[in-house]
Amino acid sequence: MELVTARIAETRKTMLRKRLKWILKYKLLYILLLPAFVWVFIFDYLPLYGISIAFMDYNVIQGFSGSEWVGLKYFRLLFESEMFRNAFKNTLLISLYKMISGFLCPILLALALNEIQAAWFKKTLQTAVYLPRFVSWVVYGGIITLLLSPETGVINKIIEFFGGKSVYLLVEPAYFRTILVVTDAMKEMGWAAIIYIAAIAGLNPEVYEAATMDGATRFSRIFHITLPGITGSIIVIFILRVGYIMSAGLDQVINLYNPMVFEMGDILDTYIYRIGIEQFNLSLAAAADFIKGVIGLAMVLLANQIAKRINDSGIF
């Protein structure tokens, strides 16, 4: 027994020496990483202490130490609130629709761009679909409002041209979620497609040449070479998108919604903004944000485990 213990201790010392040698060998790289670690610690980990606000009757003047601890009081208030339940439902529905469109559209766009033979046209189209990503939702929301205007909007002019009646789409609850999903996909899919385009560019061109010589059609090459070749990237992006299932897009919604579509457009982000910033009920807002974060974490872990079981791929 003593011999085994001595061997274990010696093994640990050997491993420790190897790690120290590794650190000393790459010490300059670790020094370069230090500012990033400090940044993450200060702005990502230290603020986690603020979660405790959700479990206390927080008072800004009294601070964390002086505020009364109330346990799950604000969580009970949330689940008793009809407004919170409506925001929760809207968030799930809008996020689910966005996740489907935001997941499929970039893949289809990357596949389509990869099939374009003319280099100048391909680069021009790539630039055109990337540009909306760099426009803020304040500006982009204004453009959408103008396009959907019942008097001067292009969409309504097209509807009138074909004999239809002008509709103010942004104040119609039945259309609001569709507008959110479509405009989000139009704005983000060009940027999201970059990863898939890069993954496709890394595939072996000789495989395509061999498939072409064997008589494979363009669609056959897409389904049997391109898609299997980027499966790993697709799975990773899907897992990351699942983590945002409770984030339906504060910037977009707050710039597009109005009292007429409040019931269909109010989401958790706008609810937290309204409760926390406008009404200054920090404890209730923190409780809502805590629920949002826990669900997001649970969804990432679940999606990662499913991906590992299906294809032995995951992010951790």
Side-chain angles (χ1 to χ4, degrees), residues 5-23:
T5 305
R7 285 182 178 178
I8 292 174
E10 184 63 30
T11 303
R12 288 177 177 174
K13 289 180 180 179
T14 304
M15 291 177 64
L16 181 60
R17 283 195 294 268
K18 287 182 178 179
R19 289 177 182 175
L20 288 173
K21 284 183 179 180
W22 180 272
I23 293 172

Side-chain angles (χ1 to χ4, degrees), residues 55-66:
F55 302 93
M56 60 177 66
D57 193 2
Y58 183 70
N59 186 293
V60 176
I61 298 175
Q62 294 176 344
F64 288 95
S65 58

